[in-house]
Amino acid sequence: MTIAPFGPLEFQLVLLRRMADHQPDLVEDARHELSASLSEMREANRRWQAMVRAPRGRGSLRRYRSVLGEPESSVHRRIGDLECDALLWPVPLWPDLRFEVMIAPGGAVWNEWLVRAPGAAGPELRTVEDLRPWSCTVDEVARAFAPARPMEGSAPTRWALAITDPVTGALYVAEFTWGLFQRLLPG
């Protein structure tokens, strides 16, 4: 029995699988755009989880390179005292985004999520009314609603930000999956 390769299509299905908890309709549309069945999405997620948990599996960075190929670009960054490299891969389902893997010195993966592609315009975010599912990233919301307070996400690959609407002063929690905005909850 030959096992089909695991590549960018399957990786996009993995991203969608976790997003389905909050945006099932958007995931359904995206899955159809990728011409993938629900069972193919589940199988991609199962295989990804097996790769992540394999006792002798590839390290995180090697896993991303084997699945996504060589990164489209690499940028050296300094965040406070930490120096790291950010590797970026295109994600065909979201052409204005890139999947970013941040590598600490020594090669450990520090963070992995979707970010705006270099040169791509993000949305104008003035009030919480401007937040639409899948329209913006963690960084964009944090900048637009500064000072946003990071919160622990409800699961791996999930993030949350406590934000205040600058117009009403109301508190909210913006939730993200793989770095992409999913939903807004009362704070």
Side-chain angles (χ1 to χ4, degrees):
M1 178 173 145
T2 304
I3 296 175
F6 196 101
L9 169 64
E10 291 77 14
F11 182 70
Q12 290 175 100
L13 293 173
V14 169
L15 299 178
L16 290 173
R17 174 62 192 95
R18 181 59 81 177
M19 292 179 192
D21 296 338
H22 296 309
Q23 295 298 330
D25 293 340
L26 290 176
V27 167
E28 184 73 6
D29 292 345
R31 191 174 55 73
H32 287 293
E33 186 177 327
L34 295 173
S35 299
S37 70
L38 189 55
S39 63
E40 287 171 317
M41 185 170 75
R42 287 185 186 128
E43 178 61 12
N45 191 64
R46 185 197 66 73
R47 289 179 61 198
W48 178 258
Q49 294 304 320
M51 283 189 277
V52 168
R53 290 177 174 76
R56 292 189 204 120
R58 302 177 188 115
S60 295
L61 180 55
R62 287 186 61 211
R63 183 174 50 253
Y64 284 117
R65 285 182 185 272
S66 73
V67 168
L68 299 173
E70 284 304 306
E72 175 182 80
S73 63
S74 176
V75 180
H76 189 75
R77 290 196 188 143
R78 184 177 186 94
I79 303 169
D81 290 340
L82 176 68
E83 290 193 27
C84 62
D85 290 313
L87 307 179
L88 299 167
W89 284 271
V91 185
L93 192 55
W94 296 284
D96 287 347
L97 299 177
R98 295 296 179 266
F99 189 76
E100 177 184 77
V101 176
M102 296 188 73
I103 310 300
V109 171
W110 178 51
N111 194 29
E112 49 211 319
W113 61 6
L114 293 164
V115 298
R116 187 70 49 197
E124 286 195 36
L125 304 174
R126 293 189 195 110
T127 73
V128 295
E129 298 297 320
D130 297 327
L131 296 173
R132 302 274 184 258
W134 295 15
S135 70
C136 48
T137 64
V138 171
D139 184 54
E140 291 165 338
V141 174
R143 280 194 319 260
F145 297 94
R149 184 173 52 86
M151 302 172 66
E152 190 170 326
S154 59
T157 72
R158 291 197 179 149
W159 292 264
L161 292 175
I163 63 172
T164 303
D165 187 325
V167 174
T168 66
L171 300 174
Y172 293 92
V173 174
E175 292 189 331
F176 303 83
T177 302
W178 290 105
L180 191 59
F181 177 70
Q182 300 296 311
R183 66 182 181 172
L184 189 66
L185 302 171

